[in-house]
Amino acid sequence: MCDQTFMAITFGPCDSCTKTSPLMNIYLKSEPINYCSFCVEMMACQALQSGESLASLRTESDVLKKKLEEERSKLHDVELHQVAEKVELVSALSIRTRRVLKGHGNKVLCMDWCKDKRRLVSSSQDGKVIVWDAYTLNKEHAVTMPCTWVMACAYAPSGCAVACGGLDNKCSVYPLSLDKNENLAAKKKSVAMHTNYLSGCSFTNSDMQLLTSSGDGTCALWDVESGQLLQSFHGHTADVLSLNLAPSETGNTFVSGGCDKKANVWDMRSGQNVQSFETHDSDINCVKYYPTGDAFASASDDGTCRLYDLRADREVAVYQKDSIIFGASSVDFSLSGRLLFAGYNDYTINVWDVLKGNRISILFGHENRVSSVKVSPDGTAFCSASWDTSLRIWA
Amino acid sequence: MQDPKSGLKGTEQKLSVTTIPHVITGEDIIAWLLNKMKVTQEEAQACGTMLVAYGYVYPLQNHRKLLMCNDGSLYRFQTWVAEDCDYAIYLEHYNHLNQWLNHQWDFIVMQATEQYKAGKERQKPDRVVLDCQERAYWIVNRPPRGTHSAVDYGVDRLMDQNTEEKISFDQYRRMNIFYQQAIMRSKVKSSVSLGALVKYVSSYRNHDPFLTPCLPSNPWITDSDTFWTLNTRRVDVPTKMRVERWSFSFFELLSDQRGRDDFKSFLKKEFSGENLAFWEAAEEMKWGAASSMSTKAAAIFKTFLAPGAPRWINIDGRTMGLTVKGLEHPHRYVLDGAQTHVFLLMKKDTFFRYLKSPVYKEMQKKAMNPDLHNFSESQLQQNARSRSLGVHPIVLWTQDEEERAKAAIAATPVDVKAMMSKIDRKK
């Protein structure tokens, strides 16, 4: 957990308009001020002042960028593999496919675990969303969406509803029921609305709020009951492809990654972009927090996965290999944060040692791209979804 | 790969009666990959299959199956040059490959010109090969159902690499605002933050089912769900591992419902339950439905903040003032300051007293340590046939809701006057 994000005053009277609202903690000429998002926006959009030009702003920007890099490198005293030198090696893993879930008619694009550790929801290119009991292999519900390419789905924390969306630019919530024959589509509720495809969605700490990311370059927080937009997050300059909520005690931040090769960390309360990292060479397909919430991993089309430490404020590891030439689509950590499971477009899943940076194992089984990899809530297994229309549970 | 010196050499190979020039056997390709990339046999084969599936190399015999076989099957590098627009789709992948196939492009262009020149005076075996080549190309580009393809790529992404980015002055201002706060942001030395990551891994090592077998057994492996039933939310006697995890951090204790219950029973003995109750109420307001916010705010004010409130919390005057003022126009985050204050108080003080308390010590003693399952082969098969259905999350949720409703009624402060008048009436 980043203490600073946690400790900063984020609610109170705005220094500019005095209205009580969530505040952004910004600096003007190194003086800390607290402005509400509206006043920050006004400040950014006001006309050019005397003595100010596009060129002068650009120079200022370059100077600041350089200064930031300097600040970051000052504290860069050691590399991760050096710190981890004395840690013992991971013994050989015996991970095998334990279940194969078949039932989708086309590419499986996304999946999410239920908190009960055995159920999951998956969505596919043909518009089908299936709720499975992966343990017994039972299909509990199947819903057909009115669109193809359902790229995002999420299980509610209570286990009583699922959310999904894709090319319909919406995120819809379906309450689940114990009666398998009930028509879920009748209870469908459209919650979020974007101007381009939905790429990711996640419930926050309750069933009542949804966080979404979209091809329109924004992320947004929604009230499920009313469909009201609670907060939007602007800052990416291209499609946002993935988001992940911080697992920390406050849960006030989340990270997003997109086609602008950037991974941004946001304060959910004020909508402020508090940290940003741009070291990938191509689109970032997936971002995932380290279990402590102090770091996160990313998977990119450039064929690498990377680890960023939020407190050190920099990239601390790159997971790559000459023989891996296809993009990485998805990542997730094992319960202890030691292993990083990464799904690739070359149909494989690679298991990386997070601390030492080397690959421990490669898993074959899928017959097409791996689209999503997620570890179960208690860490006993992970599930991979693939374009070969199946899902596999590995343990 | 097509490097004349270190790459693969295409040679003439005899296939039944005809001779085919410039082909390579699957064996050779895989051997080259093995040697060049220092990978396992299995991975080299998978990598080879990728080359075939994406059409960089194409098979001369079996076109239906786009696989790389580790035998005498014949393959050729894709040299068919399609129209620009068709090819553009491949460019992204092509760039990756280009790094170690950098001789390929010249080769393609060269050979293509040659082939066009050769044009009409082609011999019969040549024509057969050309046929294979063209077929392979179209398999890759216009795939029949079920075969692999990079063409059905998904959704077009907004980013266009070719247009130059134009940045307006307001964007620069936003960038500068961001940089300034990023510079001022407090950072820690890498040795400190990375040390913490390493420490986390070592304390959770024995709790990670991928690194240490879980007790009694992993349900996905043995098809026995005992591990789950022993770790349900309202289990009376938790496992030793679970109790140990509560001591790792306050967050870990709170995120486990069973741990939170235990912490509550400790607070009850200390008569200091109001801090946790306030924190929970604030969480509910923060993550709850927007419509219920004002009623929740009013209830929180009455229970925890108003002068003389039944569960008044002890926070500093400034935070209290800000919070009470903010509650006039309730907002999801109005309790943020007060909540943080209370949370840190519990994290830095109450939590450690809990860990030293008899409540926790007794729980440690009481906790059970299940023995490792040792199933025979036939028992495992039996388990797989009779996988338990477990309890549906909806059922659990309904139970929880009922419990909460009961607890809410029990926690409502007793209205003494009303009670008195009731008693009076009875008389």
Side-chain angles (χ1 to χ4, degrees):
Chain A
M1 175 199 64
C2 266
D3 278 347
Q4 194 186 8
T5 319
F6 187 38
M7 291 302 295
I9 307 166
T10 45
F11 194 87
C14 167
D15 286 346
S16 167
C17 67
T18 72
K19 237 178 81 185
T20 327
S21 52
L23 300 174
M24 293 192 176
N25 307 112
I26 60 172
Y27 290 84
L28 281 186
K29 300 191 176 67
S30 305
E31 282 299 310
I33 51 166
N34 293 314
Y35 272 21
C36 67
S37 53
F38 182 71
C39 291
V40 170
E41 200 53 22
M42 288 291 285
M43 196 165 69
C45 293
Q46 66 186 344
L48 287 169
Q49 308 289 298
S50 64
E52 207 181 35
S53 67
L54 198 60
S56 75
L57 281 169
R58 188 190 307 143
T59 329
E60 192 189 346
S61 181
D62 290 342
V63 170
L64 286 170
K65 195 174 181 181
K66 219 174 134 205
K67 197 169 167 208
L68 176 61
E69 287 311 317
E70 276 168 20
E71 289 291 320
R72 280 176 171 170
S73 60
K74 262 186 209 163
L75 296 163
H76 184 163
D77 57 347
V78 68
E79 299 294 343
L80 179 59
H81 63 89
Q82 291 172 301
V83 178
E85 214 156 42
K86 290 199 184 99
V87 180
E88 50 189 301
L89 292 168
V90 176
S91 51
L93 303 171
S94 57
I95 302 172
R96 273 190 286 146
T97 303
R98 307 292 172 174
R99 304 278 192 281
V100 181
L101 309 185
K102 286 184 181 158
H104 278 293
N106 212 325
K107 295 166 188 159
V108 188
L109 302 174
C110 186
M111 63 83 40
D112 190 30
W113 284 95
C114 174
K115 284 265 187 313
D116 79 343
K117 305 151 197 166
R118 54 187 280 169
R119 281 178 175 76
L120 55 90
V121 59
S122 61
S123 64
S124 112
Q125 191 203 328
D126 59 9
K128 275 252 166 48
V129 176
I130 301 181
V131 177
W132 313 75
D133 178 357
Y135 187 65
T136 56
L137 295 176
N138 288 338
K139 285 189 213 76
E140 298 199 329
H141 298 285
V143 191
T144 310
M145 293 275 289
C147 68
T148 58
W149 289 91
V150 188
M151 283 176 280
C153 59
Y155 224 116
S158 70
C160 300
V162 293
C164 50
L167 282 190
D168 58 352
N169 302 352
K170 283 183 208 158
C171 189
S172 314
V173 173
Y174 292 92
L176 301 175
S177 86
L178 289 169
D179 176 12
K180 284 182 192 180
N181 298 320
E182 196 173 320
N183 178 19
L184 293 185
K187 292 195 290 180
K188 172 183 165 181
K189 183 170 208 162
S190 292
V191 173
M193 187 74 182
H194 281 278
T195 54
N196 205 337
Y197 65 91
L198 188 83
S199 57
C201 65
S202 169
F203 284 89
T204 63
N205 292 357
S206 80
D207 283 17
M208 311 311 286
Q209 285 174 14
L210 257 180
L211 194 60
T212 57
S213 65
S214 158
D216 63 13
T218 68
C219 297
L221 180 69
W222 308 84
D223 182 54
V224 170
E225 207 177 61
S226 63
Q228 182 192 344
L229 174 71
L230 298 175
Q231 180 68 258
S232 62
F233 305 88
H234 298 265
H236 279 288
T237 48
D239 311 29
V240 187
L241 298 178
S242 167
L243 66 85
N244 187 234
L245 262 155
S248 72
E249 30 221 79
T250 54
N252 281 330
T253 53
F254 74 95
V255 59
S256 64
C259 290
D260 56 358
K261 306 171 200 169
K262 277 187 199 146
N264 289 347
V265 180
W266 305 88
D267 188 320
M268 231 152 77
R269 297 164 293 185
S270 60
Q272 187 176 11
N273 177 202
V274 288
Q275 279 171 290
S276 181
F277 302 93
E278 194 180 358
T279 55
H280 272 296
D281 300 326
S282 188
D283 303 2
I284 297 178
N285 291 319
C286 179
V287 281
K288 179 77 196 184
Y289 266 103
Y290 190 77
T292 57
D294 284 336
F296 71 88
S298 59
S300 159
D301 269 351
D302 65 12
T304 66
C305 298
R306 289 167 200 253
L307 183 72
Y308 298 90
D309 188 301
L310 297 176
R311 295 197 297 165
D313 201 27
R314 66 177 178 93
E315 174 195 292
V316 291
V318 185
Y319 307 101
Q320 63 182 349
K321 220 171 176 327
D322 282 347
S323 60
I324 299 172
I325 49 166
F326 286 85
S329 57
S330 179
V331 279
D332 202 359
F333 289 100
S334 74
L335 186 119
S336 67
R338 180 70 192 265
L339 309 177
L340 182 72
F341 304 105
Y344 289 79
N345 289 345
D346 64 0
Y347 317 176
T348 64
I349 296 162
N350 287 303
V351 187
W352 298 93
D353 182 337
V354 171
L355 299 183
K356 308 240 180 213
N358 62 316
R359 189 177 69 184
I360 303 171
S361 177
I362 177 164
L363 306 171
F364 301 99
H366 281 298
E367 286 158 13
N368 206 332
R369 289 183 182 207
V370 178
S371 52
S372 176
V373 170
K374 276 195 182 123
V375 174
S376 77
D378 62 352
T380 47
F382 75 87
C383 175
S384 59
S386 163
W387 281 19
D388 69 6
T389 75
S390 74
L391 296 112
R392 281 169 182 260
I393 312 278
W394 307 77
Chain B
M1 205 170 185
Q2 298 191 333
D3 190 300
K5 280 178 207 139
S6 64
L8 282 164
K9 289 204 175 63
T11 46
E12 296 206 343
Q13 302 260 348
K14 279 197 178 161
L15 179 72
S16 50
V17 272
T18 47
T19 318
I20 308 170
H22 299 299
V23 292
I24 317 154
T25 62
E27 270 173 320
D28 289 345
I29 296 181
I30 287 172
W32 186 87
L33 288 170
L34 272 173
N35 181 27
K36 188 82 182 172
M37 312 219 270
K38 311 272 179 284
V39 290
T40 60
Q41 177 83 26
E42 205 180 10
E43 199 186 351
Q45 195 148 350
C47 193
T49 301
M50 281 303 116
L51 291 176
V52 178
Y54 283 89
Y56 299 109
V57 175
Y58 62 92
L60 290 182
Q61 288 140 320
N62 195 351
H63 330 282
R64 297 264 164 263
K65 266 197 193 152
L66 292 172
L67 292 173
M68 174 71 72
C69 303
N70 190 14
D71 53 25
S73 326
L74 301 176
Y75 297 91
R76 239 194 190 188
F77 290 114
Q78 176 61 268
T79 51
W80 185 278
V81 184
E83 291 300 313
D84 287 359
C85 56
D86 283 340
Y87 215 81
I89 302 164
Y90 282 100
L91 281 179
E92 193 186 345
H93 285 289
Y94 182 80
N95 285 337
H96 288 304
L97 276 166
N98 205 16
Q99 284 158 17
W100 47 278
L101 295 181
N102 48 8
H103 289 259
Q104 192 178 17
W105 189 246
D106 290 342
F107 191 83
I108 290 173
V109 176
M110 204 176 68
Q111 214 181 38
T113 6
E114 218 168 275
Q115 270 177 4
Y116 279 115
K117 240 187 261 170
K120 285 160 198 166
E121 64 254 35
R122 240 181 230 128
Q123 283 167 5
K124 200 189 167 197
D126 272 352
R127 234 173 271 154
V128 175
V129 171
L130 202 73
D131 206 35
C132 292
Q133 189 178 4
E134 188 172 349
R135 208 171 337 172
Y137 177 80
W138 288 115
I139 285 175
V140 174
N141 283 273
R142 300 284 141 83
R145 281 174 67 87
T147 49
H148 311 296
S149 160
V151 172
D152 48 349
Y153 189 79
V155 186
D156 282 335
R157 292 171 179 178
L158 254 178
M159 192 75 161
D160 187 356
Q161 311 270 340
N162 299 320
T163 54
E164 201 167 317
E165 219 181 330
K166 275 207 192 92
I167 305 176
S168 58
F169 71 89
D170 57 307
Q171 274 170 306
Y172 272 122
R173 283 226 188 86
R174 280 192 201 97
M175 274 156 70
N176 293 349
I177 292 172
F178 169 79
Y179 285 138
Q180 286 189 41
Q181 72 84 30
I183 291 167
M184 297 305 287
R185 188 178 182 78
S186 77
K187 306 170 183 74
V188 298
K189 274 192 180 160
S190 298
S191 46
V192 176
S193 67
L194 298 179
L197 295 190
V198 175
K199 188 167 168 262
Y200 184 86
V201 167
S202 60
S203 46
Y204 280 83
R205 212 184 75 105
N206 293 332
H207 296 261
D208 188 336
F210 280 102
L211 299 176
T212 315
C214 49
L215 295 172
S217 71
N218 189 328
W220 299 102
I221 300 175
T222 58
D223 290 307
S224 150
D225 69 345
T226 322
F227 177 74
W228 287 334
T229 49
L230 292 178
N231 283 299
T232 46
R233 178 207 174 315
R234 13 184 108 251
V235 73
D236 191 39
V237 184
T239 63
K240 280 227 153 36
M241 294 301 264
R242 193 169 175 182
V243 176
E244 185 191 293
R245 255 167 86 169
W246 300 345
S247 71
F248 288 169
S249 73
F250 186 47
F251 175 53
E252 189 72 59
L253 178 71
L254 282 192
S255 11
D256 184 350
Q257 282 296 336
R258 185 66 186 81
R260 200 187 282 199
D261 287 350
D262 204 50
F263 185 58
K264 275 183 191 161
S265 65
F266 162 75
L267 292 175
K268 209 167 184 180
K269 285 192 178 139
E270 264 208 339
F271 301 104
S272 60
E274 72 280 351
N275 280 347
L276 185 63
F278 173 73
W279 182 82
E280 283 184 330
E283 281 291 285
E284 245 176 68
M285 183 160 138
K286 188 155 69 174
W287 305 116
S291 59
S292 67
M293 206 168 56
S294 16
T295 46
K296 273 183 188 147
I300 287 170
F301 180 75
K302 234 165 85 187
T303 329
F304 299 101
L305 300 167
R311 309 191 78 183
W312 193 72
I313 52 161
N314 188 11
I315 51 173
D316 68 280
R318 194 178 158 268
T319 318
M320 181 64 100
L322 267 173
T323 313
V324 171
K325 192 158 174 286
L327 278 172
E328 287 164 16
H329 304 283
H331 186 279
R332 319 194 277 302
Y333 298 121
V334 67
L335 300 171
D336 222 54
Q339 197 193 2
T340 309
H341 184 97
V342 162
F343 184 85
L344 287 180
L345 200 74
M346 289 193 289
K347 184 180 168 176
K348 292 190 169 147
D349 177 53
T350 330
F351 175 56
F352 291 103
R353 276 191 287 118
Y354 162 74
L355 290 182
K356 283 182 204 140
S357 74
V359 175
Y360 183 70
K361 292 264 156 69
E362 232 143 77
M363 187 52 87
Q364 272 179 313
K365 255 186 246 156
K366 199 167 95 175
M368 50 124 60
N369 200 17
D371 291 324
L372 187 70
H373 274 155
N374 196 4
F375 291 116
S376 69
E377 201 55 44
S378 62
Q379 274 171 315
L380 284 174
Q381 282 168 7
Q382 174 62 28
N383 286 349
R385 275 194 298 272
S386 54
R387 285 173 188 152
S388 151
L389 289 173
V391 187
H392 199 281
I394 298 181
V395 176
L396 286 176
W397 182 78
T398 325
Q399 281 174 7
D400 270 3
E401 284 298 293
E402 280 165 11
E403 192 121 313
R404 275 157 56 111
K406 264 188 224 159
I409 293 168
T412 320
V414 184
D415 193 334
V416 182
K417 269 188 196 159
M419 284 293 279
M420 290 303 277
S421 63
K422 251 187 202 168
I423 294 167
D424 281 346
R425 245 177 280 149
K426 268 183 193 162
K427 274 179 191 171

